[in-house]
Structures are given as C-alpha cells and as structure tokens.
Amino acid sequence: MVLYFTSNVVEPPAIIYMGRDKFENEELIKHSWDSDVWFHVDKLSSAHIYLRLQPCKVVPAPAPEEAAAPSAPAGRKGKFYTPPKNEAAPVDDHVYCTSWDDIPEVLLQELGQLTKANSIEGNKKDNQTIIYTPASNLKKTGDMATGAVSFHSNKLVKRVYVQTRSNEIINRLNKTKVERNPDLAQEKLEYEKAKRAEVKAEERKRRVEEERQKQEWKNKKAQSSYDSLFEEDAMTTNKDFDEDDFM
C-alpha cells in the first residue's frame, strides 16, 4: 500500500507519496520514476518520501487583514492615524519544478516537515537536516539491507533544514492522505513510454525546424543571386549608346 499526499502551496498541487515500511520502500526504489525526487532525514532512519515532479507555480499567500485604526493619540485630539493598507506579497510567476533542483522553498519545507514527522527519532528532535536527490541517483546493490540505498553521485544531493515541527503543515498534509495499491511497474512502463514519445515528437519538431531554416537560407541565397544578376543586366555605360542617342 502506498500513501499519497497533496500539497496545495503550489498549482497544480504537488503529489507526494511514501511507503508504509522498508519492504514497500524497496518497491518504490525499484519503480520510482527518474524524474521523481527522493527525501530522507539525514543520518537517521525515516520514511522514504517522494515528490512527483511537475511544472508548477507558487500559490500566493493571502494578504493579512488590515489592522483597525487606533484611537487618537494624546495631544492630537480629533485626528486619527490611519495605518497603511497591508499589501499582498508580490506574485511569483516563476515556473518551478521543471528540474529537481528548482523546487520552491515553500514546497521544500512541506516535504521536509513530512519527512521529519515520519522519522521516529527525527520527529522528536529540532534542527533536522533533510536530504533530497533525484530518484535516478539512488543506488541499490544486492548486499544492502532492505530499504537501504546510497547514491551514484553525492554531488546530486541537496539539503533542506527543518528547525522544528509544524503541526499546521503536518495536519494539513495528513488531511489529504489516501491509501492506494497501484501497479507501480505498469505505471512506470506507461511513464517511460510517454517520455519516449515526447522525445520523438521533440526530435521531429527539431528536424522540421532545421529543414525550414535550411530552405529559408536557400531561398535567400537564390534571391540574392537573382538580384545581383538583375542589377548587372540593368547597368549601362556610355559605350552602350550611339552618339545619336544624345543629340
């Protein structure tokens, strides 16, 4: 059984999933998509949390309510100070999550909180480091314990820091939790098939554009040669005319 969560701090909402135990973690390691991002508490036992990467934008935080105007201060009878209106934070139009190292901080904190909360020891401690890396960077060999992994490259490991547990974030994520029993192997096959089709479509698009540019260059070259020929034919000198032509 796989547990799925939804984070609504981005749009479209982020899909997060995890296994119930180390045996399910083995299945997730085997069948995670290469674009998924894996999270774990550093140097402690914890659940394996995965983010299914998809382009997204940060949902703007609601503007705080305006504060009520205070009573007139002493010495300024009849005059009230009106505080400036609270303004909403500027809209962030950046498209995030097009790559594993471009996850917005607000979503990283949600993932960090969920990862910390699903570590028996880490959940009890403050100032925890959460490591994350592309699922394609996970390395599994036959001599490793069930659920254990290492990395192909430590350079592809980043960190997010969680100062203390946020019950508000954990409770909100837990309300979205659903249990499913997906066919992980089939889902991965379909994902890889769609990815290959996308690569082929991009390659066809590239070839069409190259052919268009090549034809455009040929047309310009032909036009240039024609214009040059036309100009040479149109050129005349005094030798081309009889003297009578000027009389």
Side-chain angles (χ1 to χ4, degrees):
M1 193 70 66
V2 180
L3 304 178
Y4 290 87
F5 304 82
T6 302
S7 173
N8 292 305
V9 298
V10 293
E11 179 60 38
I15 299 172
I16 304 166
Y17 67 96
M18 59 177 278
R20 277 191 171 277
D21 53 38
K22 62 182 181 180
F23 300 103
E24 288 188 351
N25 286 340
E26 282 291 311
E27 291 300 303
L28 296 183
I29 293 168
K30 185 187 304 182
H31 299 300
S32 60
W33 299 358
D34 58 5
S35 59
D36 289 346
V37 186
W38 174 91
F39 290 76
H40 196 276
V41 177
D42 192 21
K43 300 177 182 178
L44 293 177
S45 175
S46 80
H48 293 207
I49 306 291
Y50 291 83
L51 169 66
R52 182 131 291 169
L53 208 62
Q54 59 180 340
C56 64
K57 290 187 176 182
V58 172
V59 175
E65 295 182 0
E66 295 183 14
S71 301
R76 300 181 63 184
K77 187 176 180 179
K79 295 181 179 180
F80 291 86
Y81 167 71
T82 302
K85 294 182 179 180
N86 292 315
E87 297 181 356
V91 176
D92 185 356
D93 282 330
H94 179 71
V95 178
Y96 291 93
C97 295
T98 55
S99 63
W100 76 275
D101 56 353
D102 189 32
I103 302 171
E105 182 63 27
V106 64
L107 181 54
L108 282 176
Q109 285 298 320
E110 300 244 320
L111 288 153
Q113 286 286 343
L114 187 62
T115 306
K116 178 182 183 300
N118 284 278
S119 169
I120 295 175
E121 188 175 354
N123 188 43
K124 302 173 184 176
K125 298 180 177 180
D126 290 338
N127 301 313
Q128 290 300 297
T129 300
I130 311 301
I131 56 176
Y132 63 102
T133 191
S136 58
N137 191 41
L138 297 178
K139 181 180 180 180
K140 181 72 180 183
T141 58
D143 59 342
M144 290 181 175
T146 301
V149 294
S150 62
F151 309 117
H152 292 290
S153 173
N154 289 326
K155 293 180 180 180
L156 294 177
V157 180
K158 296 178 81 68
R159 289 164 176 78
V160 58
Y161 301 97
V162 178
Q163 185 174 10
T164 188
R165 177 187 169 101
S166 170
N167 288 326
E168 185 273 328
I169 292 177
I170 298 304
N171 292 339
R172 174 161 43 78
L173 289 174
N174 280 335
K175 287 180 181 179
T176 71
K177 181 172 66 176
V178 294
E179 296 185 7
R180 297 176 189 164
N181 190 21
D183 186 337
L184 296 172
Q186 183 60 34
E187 284 187 354
K188 186 171 184 177
L189 285 175
E190 292 174 358
Y191 159 74
E192 291 177 340
K193 180 179 179 180
K195 188 176 179 180
R196 288 193 297 270
E198 183 178 342
V199 170
K200 289 181 179 178
E202 286 295 323
E203 179 61 22
R204 286 195 296 270
K205 183 178 178 182
R206 184 186 63 79
R207 288 199 299 267
V208 169
E209 179 60 18
E210 287 181 350
E211 187 61 32
R212 184 194 67 78
Q213 292 180 0
K214 187 184 299 184
Q215 188 61 46
E216 183 179 347
W217 179 82
K218 287 181 178 180
N219 292 340
K220 286 182 178 179
K221 185 177 181 181
Q223 183 64 37
S224 176
S225 298
Y226 174 78
D227 290 344
S228 176
L229 180 62
F230 177 79
E231 290 173 0
E232 291 177 1
D233 289 344
M235 290 175 62
T236 60
T237 65
N238 290 343
K239 294 180 180 180
D240 296 322
F241 298 93
D242 293 332
E243 292 184 358
D244 294 340
D245 292 335
F246 294 95
M247 297 181 64

